Amino acid sequence: MIPQVDKLVNLSKKLHDLTDEELRNFEGVETRLDGLPHIEHSAAYFSSLKVNESLSQLYVYTQSFRLHVDWLKTGMKNFSLSSLSAEGVSTHLLQLSHLVNASLHQIGEEVPQSPPPSLPVISTAFEVLQFSVEVSDRLKVFCNWSKRVLLILQRLPCCPKH
């Protein structure tokens, strides 16, 4: 799973295709994608991880990002913008989702289902850009959280090494 997360980190930077200087123009812009996960990443959280709960949470977060990226990809196509990076992100999220799903089955856990998020209508190409910046930023947080969780779980005695 960690290689998939590493690929997502690299692809997340390309979702909006802006330079660091151009990104500064988006600092402080109101976030509008309430369906994206708000990820807990305190030291207390990481010190109390449980395999079943962590993998279930990873699955739910991965599914949420998949839905958002697929929605963003559609918005990009509707405004004739390149959706290549969004397609790459979607592919790696799908692969990560399959791996987490398989791990949940392996430990006898039910695969959690979450309701689909309500996504805003994209009216302009500029909104596509705004949303791609928001998804990219949140995806980076998700990737950092995921990698940390997976590395901790890998060290647990009950977690099989793959």
Side-chain angles (χ1 to χ4, degrees):
M1 288 184 238
I2 292 172
Q4 292 303 321
V5 173
D6 287 338
K7 289 174 186 167
L8 282 169
V9 168
N10 293 328
L11 285 170
S12 70
K13 299 170 188 170
K14 298 175 185 170
L15 259 182
H16 48 69
D17 212 21
L18 296 174
T19 65
D20 289 342
E21 189 172 316
E22 291 169 326
L23 274 175
R24 286 191 199 104
N25 294 320
F26 290 90
E27 288 176 4
V29 172
E30 179 185 345
T31 58
R32 295 172 43 198
L33 298 176
D34 298 329
L36 283 174
H38 295 279
I39 298 175
E40 174 71 39
H41 53 279
S42 66
Y45 173 82
F46 287 113
S47 65
S48 64
L49 290 181
K50 293 180 176 70
V51 174
N52 56 347
E53 291 172 12
S54 298
L55 286 176
S56 292
Q57 195 66 59
L58 178 58
Y59 184 82
V60 168
Y61 288 170
T62 302
Q63 291 301 99
S64 176
F65 275 101
R66 268 190 63 220
L67 291 170
H68 281 82
V69 169
D70 288 345
W71 162 81
L72 182 62
K73 185 171 61 172
T74 300
M76 290 171 159
K77 287 179 181 177
N78 288 344
F79 288 96
S80 302
L81 302 171
S82 172
S83 61
L84 206 55
S85 57
E87 288 173 20
V89 169
S90 181
T91 297
H92 289 292
L93 284 167
L94 180 61
Q95 291 170 347
L96 180 60
S97 176
H98 288 313
L99 291 169
V100 177
N101 187 328
S103 294
L104 285 166
H105 284 295
Q106 199 173 36
I107 62 170
E109 273 300 304
E110 252 186 70
V111 177
Q113 300 302 313
S114 50
S118 93
L119 298 164
V121 173
I122 300 175
S123 305
T124 66
F126 184 71
E127 281 186 329
V128 171
L129 185 59
Q130 284 181 302
F131 288 128
S132 66
V133 169
E134 185 174 349
V135 170
S136 174
D137 288 347
R138 300 281 283 279
L139 186 59
K140 288 176 203 166
V141 172
F142 165 73
C143 289
N144 291 332
W145 174 87
S146 300
K147 191 164 183 177
R148 203 164 177 192
V149 165
L150 291 168
L151 289 170
I152 291 169
L153 292 180
Q154 204 173 39
R155 289 192 298 257
L156 293 176
C158 63
C159 192
K161 309 269 191 265
H162 313 235

